Amino acid sequence: MTTLTPDAVAALFTRADGDYLFARWGRPIVPVVFGVTDATVAVLKGAVEALCLLSGHRMAETDPELGANLMVFFLRDWDELPETPNLDRLIPELGPLVARLKAADANQYRIFRFDESGAIRACFAFIRMDSHLSDVPAETLALSQMVQAVLLWSDTAFGDTSPLVVIDGTAVLRPEIAGVIRAAYDSVLPAMERDPAHALRLAARLGRMQ
């Protein structure tokens, strides 16, 4: 397995403004998916289950506060978001957000919410099925989206390199990214960290996993 250097690990959680910010889920993940067939829902939930198995985290049937805390929306056009019932209650800044997404011609966006300790308590993922994403196999799209929801990665983490790699025609999680996810959920480490030295602790665990 390729072992990432501490600097490479730090880059995965260092935002474009230079701030280091790491967070993982602090509660069981309860996914719900909108805008796709039941078969695709099953594929997405299967991807969440696989990542929970990898990380040692948990899924649940319901979240006591929100009901579902990982909400994934598939749509054809960003204008569909304001038409979604009650979504503006969950995301008060919905109108300006849609305007920014349209202006950027974006095809995906994620919003995270955090608990008092800084751990992830909810994630809203929006995927606009443009011509590019429509050509991506459902299993590949599901795994890619769930990987990006399982941790608070940097906003530049996967801009140039996908977290997945194709082996024998099947997209799988890159071993080094799988290692980071597994290390990130080590119970000894904090659920949220702003100190870049945290990357050294992650990198040390990667070396022991070889």
Side-chain angles (χ1 to χ4, degrees):
M1 182 181 93
T2 301
T3 300
L4 298 177
T5 66
D7 285 346
V9 173
L12 293 171
F13 303 103
T14 302
R15 307 189 68 78
D17 61 9
D19 288 341
Y20 185 92
L21 179 56
F22 163 90
R24 69 183 184 222
W25 283 83
R27 59 181 64 191
I29 299 175
V30 183
V32 63
V33 188
F34 303 93
V36 292
T37 64
D38 289 346
T40 303
V41 170
V43 170
L44 276 151
K45 290 187 175 181
V48 178
E49 290 173 353
L51 289 169
C52 284
L53 182 62
L54 168 69
S55 65
H57 196 56
R58 306 172 308 285
M59 293 179 68
E61 291 296 323
T62 185
D63 180 89
E65 181 183 357
L66 300 170
N69 54 32
L70 174 55
M71 302 183 188
V72 185
F73 299 82
F74 286 86
L75 53 149
R76 292 290 176 181
D77 190 276
W78 291 124
D79 286 327
E80 295 175 29
L81 283 182
E83 300 171 0
T84 304
N86 301 319
L87 188 59
D88 57 343
R89 296 183 182 179
L90 294 171
I91 306 172
E93 66 275 21
L94 186 60
L97 172 62
V98 169
R100 293 198 304 273
L101 293 173
K102 291 171 66 175
D105 195 29
N107 61 11
Q108 56 186 292
Y109 190 76
R110 279 163 294 280
I111 297 174
F112 290 88
R113 297 286 187 259
F114 306 93
D115 63 22
E116 62 280 357
S117 71
I120 299 171
R121 73 178 180 93
C123 175
F124 306 94
F126 306 103
I127 300 101
R128 179 174 68 88
M129 297 299 292
D130 61 5
S131 57
H132 171 68
L133 291 184
S134 295
D135 291 336
V136 177
E139 292 79 5
T140 302
L141 183 60
L143 182 57
S144 175
Q145 291 298 323
M146 295 306 96
V147 165
Q148 294 180 79
V150 76
L151 290 173
L152 182 67
W153 305 97
S154 162
D155 50 346
T156 62
F158 303 120
D160 297 324
T161 305
S162 169
L164 309 184
V165 63
V166 177
I167 298 177
D168 295 331
T170 300
V172 297
L173 188 58
R174 285 167 49 199
E176 60 270 31
I177 298 301
V180 171
I181 293 171
R182 192 161 48 241
Y185 278 87
D186 186 329
S187 60
V188 174
L189 297 181
M192 187 280 289
E193 185 56 76
R194 294 182 179 274
D195 187 343
H198 172 263
L200 296 174
R201 301 178 70 186
L202 284 177
R205 282 160 174 75
L206 294 181
R208 294 201 295 268
M209 289 174 186
Q210 284 188 301

